[in-house]
Amino acid sequence: MSIPTDELYLPDFDVLINGSPLKLEDKLQLIRILVDEEVNLPSMFTLEFAGLDEEVPRTDIQLIDDANLIKIGNEVKVKLGYFQDKLEQLITGEITALEPEFHYSSQPSLTVRGYDRRHRLQRGRKTRSFLQRKDSDIARQIASDAGLTPQIEDSKVIHEYVLQANQTDMEFLQTRARQIQYEVLVEDKKLFFRPVANAKPEILTLTFKEDLLEFYPRVSAIGQVAQTTVQGWDFKNKTKIVGQAIAGSEVSKMGGRNSGAALSQSAFGKATGVISYHPIMTQAEADQLAKANFNQGVLALITGEGVCQGRTDLRAGKVIKIDGDRIGKQFRGQYYLTSVSHRLSARSSHLGRGGYYTHFKFCRNAL
């Protein structure tokens, strides 16, 4: 939700624990809310409660002793926005940590932290093998084992043998996802295993005339190559396997003219990245790995971060557009959000200014 610009609106919020909203007296003591979304890590929420001023009769935090409400494992839903009847849910997670603070000369405080259900995939390590399975099949099994509903996009390539070697399900699934340029996300009880979405259209446009406050893009050609080659060996047919991806293999240039591969080749000459350490059994595996590695590399051409007025529609894993006269022509265009942090604070602190602001990190593959 964007902020109406013709009037001043105050941000609002709601927090539900096991489906029940906080009591009014507890909401009054909630001074800070953070929701940090990531595409490569479990998303996190932080709720900070503080005792009220001494002039107010209620000076302690009853939630500290409410073992039924603030309890490890309880479900938390966090909603933010500007109108109580139009709040948008940003995260459904589970409480994983409680951090009370007690001081002789000041009021107590309580910080409640938790993660989305991806954190369940980090519990315990496993060693097992998968035969004749696609990565999407493996993701579907892991989601079901964790009690999550799989929302899976077909990865198409069948692997003869895949080993999970003393890894958590999260480590293993993220490794498989990176190799084919996929991402692992969880929304409530749904696990998404899908291609990195930088080829999707933008969901919104930010400008300095509207919501954008800060924007810091960084361009770096370090590590950019014009070609990625994957080398393997077909043990059955005793033949070499070679997969290649070159400039033009980008899934999208995100509105830019020249990708990182083309820019680096024009400036410094042709360079090739070679992958020979990864076991390759088929040509399809080699082709998929080469294209994924190439796209992963060019997507690091532009990275950076920005800040805007609080917007609940900015979400990790989405594409936005940065535009406006105050942005140089080279840097107008689409950006893929890798991290989004929603920060609602009743007062200024080391976490930033008071009010509701959204911080985001991004990447882009072309200029």
Side-chain angles (χ1 to χ4, degrees), residues 31-300:
I31 64 169
R32 189 167 296 111
I33 297 174
L34 271 70
V35 177
D36 295 323
E37 291 186 325
E38 298 277 350
V39 293
N40 294 315
L41 295 170
S43 296
M44 182 181 76
F45 66 84
T46 301
L47 309 175
E48 185 175 332
F49 298 85
L52 300 176
D53 295 335
E54 293 184 0
E55 291 79 6
V56 181
R58 179 183 171 87
T59 59
D60 59 342
I61 300 178
Q62 299 298 323
L63 284 174
I64 291 177
D65 293 321
D66 193 339
N68 291 322
L69 190 63
I70 304 299
K71 178 181 178 182
I72 298 295
N74 278 3
E75 181 186 82
V76 172
K77 295 180 183 291
V78 178
K79 300 180 180 181
L80 293 179
Y82 294 92
F83 306 95
Q84 184 62 36
D85 61 340
K86 295 182 180 179
L87 299 180
E88 295 188 36
Q89 186 170 303
L90 294 181
I91 189 172
T92 298
E94 296 173 314
I95 297 174
T96 59
L98 306 175
E99 303 171 14
E101 294 185 8
F102 303 98
H103 300 273
Y104 172 75
S105 59
S106 62
Q107 300 301 322
S109 65
L110 171 66
T111 299
V112 180
R113 302 185 196 276
Y115 295 90
D116 68 23
R117 286 180 169 85
R118 269 180 291 184
H119 82 88
R120 294 188 176 196
L121 304 180
Q122 296 177 319
R123 301 179 65 249
R125 295 181 174 274
K126 300 175 183 177
T127 297
R128 55 180 170 173
S129 59
F130 301 87
L131 304 177
Q132 294 294 319
R133 306 286 292 277
K134 292 181 284 189
D135 287 314
S136 51
D137 297 330
I138 295 172
R140 182 173 288 105
Q141 178 177 330
I142 290 176
S144 299
D145 290 347
L148 301 173
T149 302
Q151 302 290 314
I152 310 297
E153 291 194 34
D154 191 351
S155 59
K156 299 180 181 179
V157 176
I158 296 175
H159 303 283
E160 292 188 17
Y161 176 82
V162 177
L163 176 66
Q164 181 177 356
N166 193 33
Q167 295 170 293
T168 66
D169 284 341
M170 188 67 182
E171 290 172 338
F172 175 59
L173 197 53
Q174 287 284 10
T175 298
R176 301 305 307 175
R178 282 193 298 270
Q179 289 176 0
I180 61 174
Q181 192 64 345
Y182 265 51
E183 57 191 9
V184 182
L185 298 170
V186 165
E187 294 180 9
D188 199 354
K189 296 181 180 180
K190 297 179 180 179
L191 184 144
F192 294 84
F193 186 76
R194 65 195 185 195
V196 171
N198 65 294
K200 297 288 186 178
E202 69 267 14
I203 60 169
L204 58 91
T205 299
L206 295 180
T207 70
F208 279 109
K209 288 184 178 180
E210 300 295 334
D211 299 357
L212 191 61
L213 299 173
E214 302 173 29
F215 180 60
Y216 308 107
R218 294 183 294 273
V219 182
S220 175
I222 299 298
Q224 293 291 322
V225 296
Q227 177 177 311
T228 298
T229 299
V230 175
Q231 298 177 347
W233 183 256
D234 185 338
F235 290 96
K236 293 181 179 179
N237 299 313
K238 308 299 182 183
T239 57
K240 188 177 181 179
I241 300 173
V242 177
Q244 291 184 333
I246 59 175
S249 299
E250 302 88 356
V251 296
S252 167
K253 291 184 181 178
M254 304 181 71
R257 292 183 297 175
N258 298 304
S259 72
L263 287 172
S264 63
Q265 181 173 348
S266 175
F268 309 115
K270 185 176 181 179
T272 300
V274 178
I275 300 175
S276 57
Y277 56 84
H278 193 282
I280 297 296
M281 307 297 289
T282 67
Q283 185 64 50
E285 286 181 303
D287 293 339
Q288 185 181 55
L289 181 60
K291 185 175 181 180
N293 190 272
F294 176 83
N295 274 279
Q296 188 177 87
V298 295
L299 197 53

Side-chain angles (χ1 to χ4, degrees), residues 1-4 9-15 33 35 78-90 309-313 342-344 355-358:
M1 176 190 296
S2 62
I3 302 176
Y9 287 88
L10 296 177
D12 205 346
F13 69 91
D14 207 355
V15 175
I33 297 174
V35 177
V78 178
K79 300 180 180 181
L80 293 179
Y82 294 92
F83 306 95
Q84 184 62 36
D85 61 340
K86 295 182 180 179
L87 299 180
E88 295 188 36
Q89 186 170 303
L90 294 181
Q309 299 283 354
R311 295 197 57 141
T312 56
D313 46 2
H342 298 274
R343 306 179 185 184
L344 175 62
Y356 176 26
Y357 298 91
T358 301

